[in-house]
């Protein structure tokens, strides 16, 4: 753990926030962006994770000055070494199963996170834990400390969570006009090992949950936020739409302007569409070929990015 004995707590800061992200870039970045927002209210934020993943989050942050992260208390915690196999483009299920060892290793953060929560609970009036929904096993110490509250961060849309909740009741989307018809099935999207991992984490979430946080806004997903609130009204679990976390204003251009912005500036407004497959799928050679053929046949200008913008 980083050498920060005071944990950033002062007499003026009686409430502290502990962020516990899941070790995948889309999850790391969202909670780092939320940390930036919370920090703007002068509330100390502790961002905990393995050294490698904390470094990844800082290096890849976008939309704001990375130096601003210096005010966030990054606590680097040790986890056991894990196997890092290469992705398998020929796998029947395209989920990035090569990352599963990383996910499994993250459970070893439970002991150092528990120690951190005990230390902070003795120094702050209240400790707020915001943890990724896939890190429920790591923050169980929160239920044993009277001045610690734990909130689940849902990294997916309120629509997706609502659809899953509807399905858990044994209903299908077509039973209600609330959901569009012909929604693609998730069958074959995840490996059995990852599905078991998710189920285990969600079971831990039920043991300590004061509410759920979403990277969305009610203007876009208000209907689904209302649906989720009705679903958990009896349990007293609330839902907050705090997004978008990413900055929505374009900062003043600097001398370090990136090549992708130069390229965009040369095109007409609303003439560019950005498509990203992220890291949650692997394309084999045949799929890449078909994608290239589709782009060529569209006769539209396109650019294949090989650098991170």
């Amino acid at each position: 753990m980083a050498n920060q004995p005071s944990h950033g707590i002062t007499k003026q800061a009686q409430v502290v926030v502990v962020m516990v992200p899941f070790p995948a870039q889309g999850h790391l970045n969202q909670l780092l962006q939320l940390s930036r927002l919370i920090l703007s209210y002068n509330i100390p934020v502790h961002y905990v994770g393995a050294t490698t993943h904390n470094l990844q989050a800082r290096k890849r942050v976008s939309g704001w000055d990375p130096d601003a992260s210096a005010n966030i208390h990054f606590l680097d915690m040790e986890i056991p070494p894990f196997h890092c196999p290469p992705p398998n483009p020929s796998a029947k299920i395209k989920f990035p199963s090569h990352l599963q060892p990383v996910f499994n290793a993250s459970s070893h953060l439970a002991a150092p996170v528990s120690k951190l929560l005990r230390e902070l609970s003795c120094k702050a009036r209240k400790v707020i834990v915001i943890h990724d929904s896939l890190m429920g096993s790591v923050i169980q110490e929160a239920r044993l400390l009277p001045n610690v509250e734990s909130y689940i961060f849902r990294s997916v849309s309120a629509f997706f969570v609502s659809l899953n909740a509807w399905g858990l009741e044994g209903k299908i989307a077509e039973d209600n006009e609330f959901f569009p018809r012909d929604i693609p099935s998730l069958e074959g999207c995840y490996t059995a090992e990852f599905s078991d991992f998710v189920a285990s984490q969600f079971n831990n979430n039920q043991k300590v949950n004061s509410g759920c946080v979403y990277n969305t806004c009610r203007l876009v997903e208000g209907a689904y936020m209302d649906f989720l609130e009705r679903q958990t009204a009896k349990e007293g679990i609330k839902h907050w739409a705090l997004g978008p976390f990413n900055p929505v204003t374009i900062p003043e251009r600097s001398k370090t302007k990136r090549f992708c912005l130069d390229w965009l500036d040369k095109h007409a407004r609303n003439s560019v569409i950005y498509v990203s497959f992220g890291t949650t799928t692997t394309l084999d050679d045949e799929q890449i070929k078909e994608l290239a053929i589709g782009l060529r046949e569209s006769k539209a200008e396109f650019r294949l990015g090989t650098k991170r913008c």
Side-chain angles (χ1 to χ4, degrees):
M1 185 182 302
N3 183 22
Q4 294 175 333
S6 68
H7 294 302
I9 300 177
T10 65
K11 294 181 179 180
Q12 292 75 27
Q14 298 184 27
V15 177
V16 297
V17 174
V18 177
M19 292 287 182
V20 186
F22 182 65
Q25 176 58 25
H27 300 247
L28 293 167
N29 184 61
Q30 288 192 73
L31 283 190
L32 183 56
Q33 297 285 4
L34 178 58
S35 298
R36 175 187 60 86
L37 293 176
I38 294 175
L39 193 64
S40 68
Y41 290 90
N42 295 319
I43 299 174
V45 178
H46 304 268
Y47 189 99
V48 303
T51 302
T52 299
H53 300 130
N54 282 351
L55 178 62
Q56 176 182 326
R58 293 198 299 270
K59 291 295 185 181
R60 296 183 179 180
V61 65
S62 59
W64 52 294
D65 185 356
D67 292 338
S69 65
N71 295 321
I72 298 174
H73 300 277
F74 287 92
L75 302 181
D76 299 332
M77 299 178 172
E78 295 185 2
I79 59 176
F82 49 84
H83 181 50
C84 297
N88 178 14
S90 302
K92 183 178 180 181
I93 296 177
K94 298 305 181 181
F95 183 80
S97 56
H98 61 288
L99 297 178
Q100 190 64 50
V102 181
F103 304 158
N104 295 338
S106 66
S107 63
H108 291 278
L109 290 172
V113 167
S114 295
K115 179 182 178 181
L116 172 66
L117 295 182
R118 289 193 297 269
E119 292 175 356
L120 292 177
S121 68
C122 294
K123 300 176 181 179
R125 178 177 60 83
K126 179 173 289 188
V127 179
I128 302 298
V129 179
I130 302 178
H131 69 94
D132 195 289
S133 61
L134 298 180
M135 296 293 281
S137 63
V138 171
I139 52 83
Q140 292 302 302
E141 185 73 18
R143 58 180 173 153
L144 305 177
L145 303 170
N147 62 333
V148 177
E149 295 180 4
S150 177
Y151 296 84
I152 298 173
F153 168 64
R154 301 287 191 181
S155 61
V156 295
S157 65
F159 164 79
F160 183 81
V161 177
S162 299
L163 186 62
N164 281 345
W166 188 255
L168 289 175
E169 295 183 355
K171 301 176 181 178
I172 59 176
E174 283 75 5
D175 289 340
N176 194 309
E177 294 181 357
F178 188 61
F179 298 104
R181 292 179 175 272
D182 302 322
I183 297 176
S185 171
L186 291 177
E187 185 178 354
C189 291
Y190 307 121
T191 62
E193 186 177 5
F194 182 73
S195 295
D196 291 342
F197 175 84
V198 172
S200 174
Q201 298 301 322
F202 279 28
N203 181 58
N204 281 294
N205 288 337
Q206 295 176 0
K207 300 175 183 178
V208 49
N209 181 19
S210 300
C212 298
V213 175
Y214 300 80
N215 184 6
T216 189
C217 62
R218 288 189 175 273
L219 182 63
V220 176
E221 293 197 291
Y224 298 105
M225 292 297 299
D226 292 341
F227 171 82
L228 291 169
E229 288 178 342
R230 292 193 297 269
Q231 292 291 105
T232 59
K234 293 182 179 180
E235 294 85 355
I237 297 176
K238 296 183 178 181
H239 302 262
W240 288 273
L242 303 183
F245 296 168
N246 281 51
V248 294
T249 57
I250 301 176
E252 184 178 352
R253 299 292 176 83
S254 66
K255 294 181 180 179
T256 58
K257 184 177 178 182
R258 295 179 176 179
F259 80 95
C260 58
L261 296 181
D262 288 329
W263 182 81
L264 283 172
D265 285 345
K266 297 175 183 177
H267 292 75
R269 183 182 295 272
N270 298 328
S271 67
V272 175
I273 297 177
Y274 173 71
V275 179
S276 173
F277 292 102
T279 56
T280 58
T281 190
T282 302
L283 302 178
D284 57 33
D285 291 343
E286 186 61 28
Q287 289 173 316
I288 294 174
K289 179 180 177 180
E290 291 297 324
L291 179 61
I293 292 173
L295 290 170
R296 183 186 64 190
E297 294 299 317
S298 71
K299 300 189 185 322
E301 182 182 2
F302 70 91
R303 182 185 182 93
L304 180 62
T306 58
K307 298 182 179 179
R308 183 177 63 88
C309 293

